[in-house]
C-alpha cells in the first residue's frame, strides 16, 4: 500500500515543483513583497534631500523654535530665515535652483488661526501636507496655551484614554494584531483554495485523459487520492515556507529602510512586535494543514465526479461557499471574538482554519477552545476522507453525465 502511495506522492511533488508555474509563482511572490518595501522607499529617496530641506520665515519670532523640533522628528532639515524685504525673492530662487525644497511663511495670523503659506516647486504628498499642517498648528496652539499657563505637553500629546478590559483582550481595528489576524486569515483562504483546486484539477486531468484506468489497475483508488493530496500538500508547504521566509526577511530588512525614507511612517514599526512567534507560527501551520486536508478531500471528490473543467467549475460552488463565508465574516469575528455565535462558527470544522486563527491572532480565543477546534478538525478530516474516498472510488472511473445527489448517495453506499 504505502509503496504505491509514496510513488504517487513523489510523482505529484516532483511534477509540480519542476513546473514553470511553481517556479514563477514561488519567485514572483517574494519579489512582489520586496518590491512593496523597496520601491516606495526608492521613490521616496529620489530628490529626498532637496524636498526635505525647508526654510521657515518666522514673522512672529516665537514659532520657529516650536515648529523646527516637530519637523526634525518628521525627517525635515529646517532652516531659519529672518524677515526682510527680499527674503521671498531669495528663497524662491533657491527653491527653483533646487537648493531647498521650499519655504514656509508664518506670521501673526498663524498665531491666531494656524494659517501659513508653503511655497514649493512640487506639490507635497498628502502625508507631508498633514505633517506640515500639524506641526504649524500645534506650535501656534502651544504658544497660546502657554500664555494661559496650561499644561501644554499633556494636552498636545492627546491626553490619555486608559482601557480596562472586563474580559479577554481583543484587537481593535487600529491595532497591529488586527492586521496580523486579518492578513493571516486571508492568506489561509487563498492558499487552501489554490492548492485544493490543484488537487481537483490533477484528478480531473487524469480522469479526462483516461490515464487513471491504467493507474487504478495497479492500486486502490483511495491510495491514488491519498497520494495526490499529500503530494500537492507537500508542494504547498514548500512554497509557503519559501514565501514566509522571504517575506519575513523582506519585512525585517525593508521596514527600517521605508521608515528611514518616510519617518512619518514610524508607527509601522509596531507591526514587528505583533508578528507571530514560533508558537503562533506552529498554530498557523496546523490550521493550514487541517484546512488543506479537509478541502482537498472535498475537491478531489468534485474532480472525480466531473468530466470536464466546465462541470468542475459549477460543481465546486457549494464547497467554495464554505471558504467564502468565513472570510466574509472574519472582520466581525476579530472585533467580537467572545460571542456565542463567533465561538460556534469558529468551532465548525470547515470554518475553523480561518475563523479560529482570526480569534487566536486577535487575542480572543481561550486555549481550551483552540484545542477543541483541532480535535474537531481531526475528526472532520477523517469523516471527509471516508466520504470523499467512497465518491472518488466510483467516480474516478465513471464517464458521462455528472451525477445527481441521489446517485452520489448510491455511490457512497455501494463503495
Amino acid at each position: 500500500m504505502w509503496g504505491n502511495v509514496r510513488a504517487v506522492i513523489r510523482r505529484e511533488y516532483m511534477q509540480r515543483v519542476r513546473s514553470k508555474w511553481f517556479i514563477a509563482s514561488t519567485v514572483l511572490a517574494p519579489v512582489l513583497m520586496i518590491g512593496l518595501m523597496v520601491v516606495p522607499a526608492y521613490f521616496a529617496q529620489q530628490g529626498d534631500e532637496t524636498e526635505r530641506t525647508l526654510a521657515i520665515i518666522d514673522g512672529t519670532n516665537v514659532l520657529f523654535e516650536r515648529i523646527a523640533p516637530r519637523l526634525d522628528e518628521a525627517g525635515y532639515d529646517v532652516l531659519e530665515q529672518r524677515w526682510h524685504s527680499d527674503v521671498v525673492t531669495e528663497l524662491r530662487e533657491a527653491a527653483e535652483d533646487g537648493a531647498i525644497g521650499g519655504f514656509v511663511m508664518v506670521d501673526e495670523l498663524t498665531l491666531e488661526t494656524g494659517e501659513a503659506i508653503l511655497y514649493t516647486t512640487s506639490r507635497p504628498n498628502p502625508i507631508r501636507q498633514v505633517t506640515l499642517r500639524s506641526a504649524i498648528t500645534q506650535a501656534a496652539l502651544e504658544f497660546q496655551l502657554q500664555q494661559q499657563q496650561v499644561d501644554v505637553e499633556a494636552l498636545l500629546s492627546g491626553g490619555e484614554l486608559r482601557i480596562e478590559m472586563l474580559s479577554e483582550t481583543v484587537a481593535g481595528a487600529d491595532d497591529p494584531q488586527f492586521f496580523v489576524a486579518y492578513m493571516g486569515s486571508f492568506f489561509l483562504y487563498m492558499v487552501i483554495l489554490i492548492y485544493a483546486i490543484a488537487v481537483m484539477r490533477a484528478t480531473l486531468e487524469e480522469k479526462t485523459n483516461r490515464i487513471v484506468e491504467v493507474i487504478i489497475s495497479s492500486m486502490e483508488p483511495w491510495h491514488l487520492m491519498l497520494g495526490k493530496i499529500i503530494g500537492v500538500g507537500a508542494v504547498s508547504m514548500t512554497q509557503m515556507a519559501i514565501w514566509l521566509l522571504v517575506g519575513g526577511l523582506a519585512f525585517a530588512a525593508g521596514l527600517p529602510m521605508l521608515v528611514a525614507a518616510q519617518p512619518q511612517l514610524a508607527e509601522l514599526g509596531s507591526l514587528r512586535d505583533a508578528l507571530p512567534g514560533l508558537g503562533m507560527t506552529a498554530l498557523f501551520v496546523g490550521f493550514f494543514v487541517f484546512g488543506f486536508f479537509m478541502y482537498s478531500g472535498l475537491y478531489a471528490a468534485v474532480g472525480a465526479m466531473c468530466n470536464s473543467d466546465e462541470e468542475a467549475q459549477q460543481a465546486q460552488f457549494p464547497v467554495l461557499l464554505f471558504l467564502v463565508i468565513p472570510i466574509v465574516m472574519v472582520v466581525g469575528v476579530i472585533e467580537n471574538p467572545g460571542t456565542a455565535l463567533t465561538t460556534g462558527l469558529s468551532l465548525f470544522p470547515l470554518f475553523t482554519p480561518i475563523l479560529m486563527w482570526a480569534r487566536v491572532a486577535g487575542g480572543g480565543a481561550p486555549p481550551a477552545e483552540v484545542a477543541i477546534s483541532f480535535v474537531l478538525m481531526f475528526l472532520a478530516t477523517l469523516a471527509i476522507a471516508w466520504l470523499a474516498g467512497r465518491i472518488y472510488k466510483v467516480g474516478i472511473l465513471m464517464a458521462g453525465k455528472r451525477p445527481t445527489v441521489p446517485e452520489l448517495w448510491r455511490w457512497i453506499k455501494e463503495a
Side-chain angles (χ1 to χ4, degrees):
M1 166 194 168
W2 290 111
N4 291 334
V5 174
R6 282 196 298 270
V8 176
I9 293 172
R10 184 167 56 251
R11 174 181 175 275
E12 293 292 333
Y13 183 83
M14 297 307 298
Q15 182 180 16
R16 280 169 170 74
V17 297
R18 291 174 177 172
S19 68
K20 294 180 180 179
W21 175 86
F22 179 86
I23 296 172
S25 60
T26 303
V27 172
L28 288 177
V31 168
L32 179 61
M33 284 187 254
I34 294 173
L36 291 175
M37 290 289 183
V38 174
V39 173
Y42 173 79
F43 283 108
Q45 288 174 346
Q46 298 303 301
D48 194 55
E49 291 185 4
T50 298
E51 291 183 5
R52 290 186 178 278
T53 302
L54 282 179
I56 297 180
I57 305 172
D58 184 7
T60 66
N61 295 321
V62 296
L63 286 180
F64 177 81
E65 60 187 20
R66 294 171 171 81
I67 297 174
R70 291 181 168 86
L71 295 182
D72 286 337
E73 291 178 2
Y76 286 92
D77 184 11
V78 184
L79 307 175
E80 183 178 13
Q81 290 291 328
R82 295 296 180 182
W83 170 261
H84 57 83
S85 58
D86 296 326
V87 67
V88 173
T89 302
E90 293 177 0
L91 292 179
R92 183 190 297 273
E93 293 176 354
E96 291 175 348
D97 293 340
I100 60 175
F103 56 98
V104 179
M105 181 179 292
V106 295
D107 52 23
E108 295 298 329
L109 182 61
T110 307
L111 287 176
E112 297 176 6
T113 65
E115 181 180 339
I117 303 175
L118 169 65
Y119 296 87
T120 179
T121 56
S122 60
R123 179 176 294 276
N125 63 50
I127 294 179
R128 291 191 177 184
Q129 292 183 42
V130 171
T131 301
L132 290 170
R133 186 165 62 245
S134 175
I136 294 169
T137 55
Q138 287 189 16
L141 182 60
E142 178 181 338
F143 174 79
Q144 297 292 359
L145 291 175
Q146 283 179 338
Q147 303 305 305
Q148 304 296 325
Q149 298 182 345
V150 176
D151 188 348
V152 177
E153 184 176 352
L155 283 176
L156 291 183
S157 64
E160 180 183 2
L161 177 63
R162 296 194 303 170
I163 301 175
E164 295 290 340
M165 298 300 299
L166 300 177
S167 58
E168 68 274 8
T169 303
V170 299
D174 57 348
D175 195 316
Q177 280 184 295
F178 184 94
F179 175 82
V180 173
Y182 181 81
M183 292 306 298
S185 296
F186 190 78
F187 186 74
L188 282 170
Y189 162 76
M190 290 297 299
V191 177
I192 290 173
L193 179 61
I194 289 171
Y195 283 102
I197 290 179
V199 172
M200 180 188 73
R201 292 189 179 279
T203 301
L204 189 61
E205 180 182 359
E206 290 184 350
K207 180 178 178 180
T208 54
N209 292 337
R210 314 310 298 174
I211 301 174
V212 70
E213 295 177 359
V214 178
I215 299 175
I216 293 301
S217 65
S218 60
M219 69 174 66
E220 291 290 333
W222 72 273
H223 295 176
L224 177 61
M225 186 185 78
L226 180 61
K228 282 186 174 295
I229 291 175
I230 296 177
V232 175
V235 174
S236 67
M237 291 296 293
T238 301
Q239 193 169 56
M240 191 168 68
I242 295 173
W243 285 347
L244 292 176
L245 177 62
V246 176
L249 293 176
F251 185 83
L255 184 61
M257 179 168 41
L258 185 61
V259 172
Q262 298 280 353
Q264 59 267 39
L265 302 179
E267 291 185 2
L268 289 177
S270 61
L271 283 176
R272 184 179 300 165
D273 299 330
L275 291 179
L278 290 178
M280 289 290 290
T281 302
L283 277 177
F284 182 86
V285 172
F287 285 128
F288 167 74
V289 169
F290 277 107
F292 170 76
F293 274 106
M294 287 188 293
Y295 281 98
S296 60
L298 294 174
Y299 271 93
V302 171
M305 292 186 319
C306 300
N307 299 287
S308 66
D309 189 63
E310 291 77 11
E311 285 188 6
Q313 292 295 330
Q314 297 173 9
Q316 71 167 322
F317 181 73
V319 180
L320 181 61
L321 282 179
F322 287 107
L323 272 170
V324 172
I325 291 173
I327 200 63
V328 169
M329 303 178 65
V330 72
V331 173
V333 168
I334 298 173
E335 294 178 343
N336 302 282
T339 64
L341 177 61
T342 296
T343 302
L345 289 173
S346 64
L347 290 176
F348 178 59
L350 290 176
F351 293 173
T352 294
I354 294 173
L355 296 187
M356 188 58 77
W357 165 258
R359 294 181 65 204
V360 170
E369 292 182 7
V370 177
I372 293 172
S373 72
F374 273 94
V375 173
L376 294 176
M377 282 193 295
F378 175 75
L379 296 176
T381 301
L382 295 179
I384 290 172
W386 178 85
L387 180 66
R390 286 177 168 263
I391 295 175
Y392 190 93
K393 183 177 180 179
V394 178
I396 197 66
L397 296 174
M398 297 291 290
K401 182 182 177 182
R402 195 176 74 205
T404 61
V405 174
E407 289 173 339
L408 282 179
W409 179 244
R410 190 174 70 251
W411 288 7
I412 294 172
K413 291 192 297 182
E414 292 178 355

